Amino acid sequence: MNNGHTIEIKMLTPLWTGGVDRKCDRLHETGIIGSMRWWYEAIVRGLGGYACDPTSNDRCELSGKEKTDEERRKKLCPACWLFGCGGWKRRFRLDVFSATKEPFSLSSLSYKNQRGQDEFNRWWLKQVFNKNINDNLPIGDVELNIYLTKGSEGDVLGQIKALISAMEQIGVLGAKGQYGFGQFEWAEKQNIQDALRTINDFVKVGGFLTKENDVDWYSLENYWLYELSLPASNPLIKKFENAKLIGSAKKPLIYLPVSFDIRYRLPDNYGLGLRQAYRQNHSKEQTRKVFGTLLGEKQGSRIFVSHLFKRKKEDRNYSLRVWGFTEVTAGDFLGKELERMFALKEIRMKYTGAVLTRDI
Ligand SMILES: [Zn+2]
């Protein structure tokens, strides 16, 4: 097809696509498009635009009677215009290819108790990921091929590039970001301010539906991010390097899949995990609101923790990203906890949504 554009990225932690076709290198793109839409919504809201909740009854829809793009945009939020909704097709098609895959793996410092049963983290991870134990997940070079729908080429490619640029710097690609997956690098990204400006310019003058966003929806307005650089000599990193794998028997090369231990809880003697520490100082309700609930997955987590990953194989330090969509006080609290966990002096947020959007 002659309207194709390729974005070459590098996955630093595995890409979770929600299903891998084992026979060929083409990946299911649904999980990737889902994550793109999710981040686009959060960004649009943070910039003061409206993005509907596509799972609610109040989501955008077209009747089919609209004759011009102008008429359509009046009934659609920018996310629905770009990603499609009832009566309206997504403005692009995505094919994703990956040459390198590696067996699924997670690891945890938790171990078997005296009765030979798995301790909580290990037990829980096995419950959730049991069906994925034999999966191979894309890592390293991944190609995103984008084919634009006729008639809307100009705006669409600009939005996608700005979106992928932003996701690289403040989020993840694909599903299960809260479990450490989807960290990536894009050499040709725009800096975060430029990317947000591109999205803002489009959203503000696009003539889209305007409504109030629900205060509980994910929005860049409530976003914050820590990005830590942790030497392999760090005492807790040393322990994580020896943590027992769940899934693959082979140790991954460029990352330590320990997101869950950091985000949820550490075994006794290792200090506290983020959720555990938060729970000690907050009510059950507050904790569930921030970390989500594991029961029935009724409430999504607002705290996300990457695996420990290296940007290059030869790097001595691991990177760790922890981000959230909460009030900044919860972010401050968790920053203190990260300092304690890794015995660091003082860490600062790399980005907050408030600062990122201030001058745009
Ligand atoms: Zn919408």
Side-chain angles (χ1 to χ4, degrees), residues 37 50-52 59-60 76-77 79-80:
R37 178 176 180 130
Y50 171 70
C52 73
R59 61 184 179 265
C60 312
L76 299 179
C77 71
C80 283

Side-chain angles (χ1 to χ4, degrees), residues 148-167:
L148 305 174
T149 306
K150 254 188 151 180
S152 42
E153 287 90 342
D155 283 340
V156 176
L157 190 62
Q159 292 303 291
I160 292 172
K161 284 184 171 173
L163 174 60
I164 301 284
S165 295
M167 289 165 79

Side-chain angles (χ1 to χ4, degrees), residues 162-185:
L163 174 60
I164 301 284
S165 295
M167 289 165 79
E168 197 249 35
Q169 291 162 90
I170 63 172
V172 287
L173 188 72
K176 303 215 187 289
Q178 76 274 36
Y179 293 119
F181 297 94
Q183 291 293 326
F184 71 104
E185 221 165 55

Side-chain angles (χ1 to χ4, degrees), residues 109-120:
L109 288 173
S110 77
Y111 45 90
K112 289 185 190 300
N113 65 19
Q114 285 159 340
R115 282 177 291 169
Q117 293 157 330
D118 282 323
E119 296 235 313
F120 182 80

Side-chain angles (χ1 to χ4, degrees), residues 18 25 29 41 167 239:
D25 292 337
E29 78 288 356
E41 287 170 13
M167 289 165 79
K239 287 178 179 138

Side-chain angles (χ1 to χ4, degrees), residues 310-358:
K310 291 183 175 179
R311 295 198 171 271
K312 289 193 192 73
K313 228 180 275 177
E314 60 273 21
D315 282 355
R316 299 176 71 119
N317 284 20
Y318 287 95
S319 295
L320 173 69
R321 275 182 172 180
V322 177
W323 69 99
F325 289 88
T326 68
E327 283 172 15
V328 83
T329 48
D332 287 336
F333 179 91
L334 296 173
K336 289 275 165 251
E337 213 43 54
L338 285 168
E339 285 171 8
R340 216 184 326 263
M341 191 183 290
F342 291 100
L344 304 168
K345 278 218 181 74
E346 200 194 355
I347 62 168
R348 282 167 190 276
M349 287 174 182
K350 181 172 184 184
Y351 298 126
T352 65
V355 173
L356 282 176
T357 55
R358 194 171 50 199

